[in-house]
Amino acid sequence: VMTQSPAFLSVTPGEKVTITCQASEGIGNYLYWYQQKPDQAPKLLIKYASQSISGVPSRFSGSGSGTDFTFTISSLEAEDAATYYCQQGNKHRITFGQGTRLEIK
Amino acid sequence: QVQLQESGPGLVKPSETLSLTCTVSGGSISSYYWSWIRQPAGKGLEWIGRIYTSGSTNYNPSLKSRVTMSVDTSKNQFSLKLSSVTAADTAVYYCARTLSIFGEDWFDPWGQGTLVTVSS
């Protein structure tokens, strides 16, 4: 089970955003982060907890291992309005966090 | 770059079988796992299962009794069948390429999704 928090954030452009995800058991660094904009498919942003994906802006980053993980947007931009999900891929018991909806103030 | 497109009926009657196909373009379907993931309106994501191009499958235990996946490498397509559907199966269904290392999976890219409504 992946416990993601908070469920909702309202943040001003330029500010830092932090989302956390906690696994019910240790998953090493097998944690992935996705961005889903309204009426779009999810898009992979971070793999292996902290590895960036080609083409993804550098303001998106991740950290953590074991059970506790963090996703960070260093300086929020208006285009970052979306719902963000964490995902663990442990041996066919693939589960997603509940999602964090990020609103731009 | 690889692109995925879901297709199939948008409306299915209760107790019937939902059938969807995902067509892969811009690359070969071979040597990858491919997954189906669904999302009820306003809710989170649920992994349904995955299939390798050899035909080997793994399903979400909560859906396993009702799910069948297949692959047609000659058409660069894979498919989902979900039997005995109810209103709870109403969702946007996504297909996605599944990257897998040491049994750990992630998804990239995804199809645009297709809405399937279960209603009489």
Side-chain angles (χ1 to χ4, degrees), chain A residues 30 32 34 36 39-44 47-48 53 85 87-98, chain B residues 37 39 43-47 50 58-61 94 101-108 110-113:
Chain A
Y30 295 111
Y32 312 91
Y34 299 85
Q36 185 178 31
D39 298 320
Q40 293 186 19
K43 173 187 173 184
L44 179 69
K47 66 180 181 181
Y48 296 133
I53 302 298
Y85 293 94
Q87 175 242 319
Q88 66 87 18
N90 184 272
K91 300 193 184 304
H92 321 147
R93 291 180 292 151
I94 295 165
T95 53
F96 294 85
Q98 301 90 330
Chain B
I37 297 157
Q39 184 175 37
K43 296 188 178 180
L45 298 158
E46 181 180 35
W47 175 73
R50 69 174 191 173
N58 301 99
Y59 300 141
N60 186 324
Y94 296 99
I101 295 180
F102 306 126
E104 306 290 343
D105 294 356
W106 69 101
F107 309 105
D108 181 45
W110 299 52
Q112 66 182 31

Side-chain angles (χ1 to χ4, degrees), chain B residues 34-106:
Chain B
W34 303 90
S35 287
W36 290 96
I37 297 157
R38 70 181 183 178
Q39 184 175 37
K43 296 188 178 180
L45 298 158
E46 181 180 35
W47 175 73
I48 299 170
R50 69 174 191 173
I51 186 166
Y52 192 63
T53 47
S54 64
S56 173
T57 56
N58 301 99
Y59 300 141
N60 186 324
S62 68
L63 297 168
K64 186 175 183 177
S65 64
R66 299 194 291 129
V67 173
T68 303
M69 293 183 183
S70 60
V71 62
D72 187 337
T73 54
S74 67
K75 294 182 178 180
N76 246 28
Q77 293 178 334
F78 62 103
S79 298
L80 167 70
K81 292 187 185 297
L82 181 66
S83 63
S84 305
V85 297
T86 68
D89 295 310
T90 295
V92 174
Y93 285 74
Y94 296 99
C95 58
R97 186 174 65 177
T98 306
L99 291 307
S100 184
I101 295 180
F102 306 126
E104 306 290 343
D105 294 356
W106 69 101

Side-chain angles (χ1 to χ4, degrees), chain A residues 45-91:
Chain A
L45 296 182
I46 301 287
K47 66 180 181 181
Y48 296 133
S50 62
Q51 287 190 18
S52 57
I53 302 298
S54 175
V56 173
S58 59
R59 64 182 180 274
F60 297 105
S61 64
S63 64
S65 67
T67 59
D68 296 302
F69 301 88
T70 301
F71 172 79
T72 301
I73 307 175
S74 59
S75 180
L76 187 67
E77 298 193 6
E79 67 185 31
D80 300 335
T83 300
Y84 294 83
Y85 293 94
C86 61
Q87 175 242 319
Q88 66 87 18
N90 184 272
K91 300 193 184 304

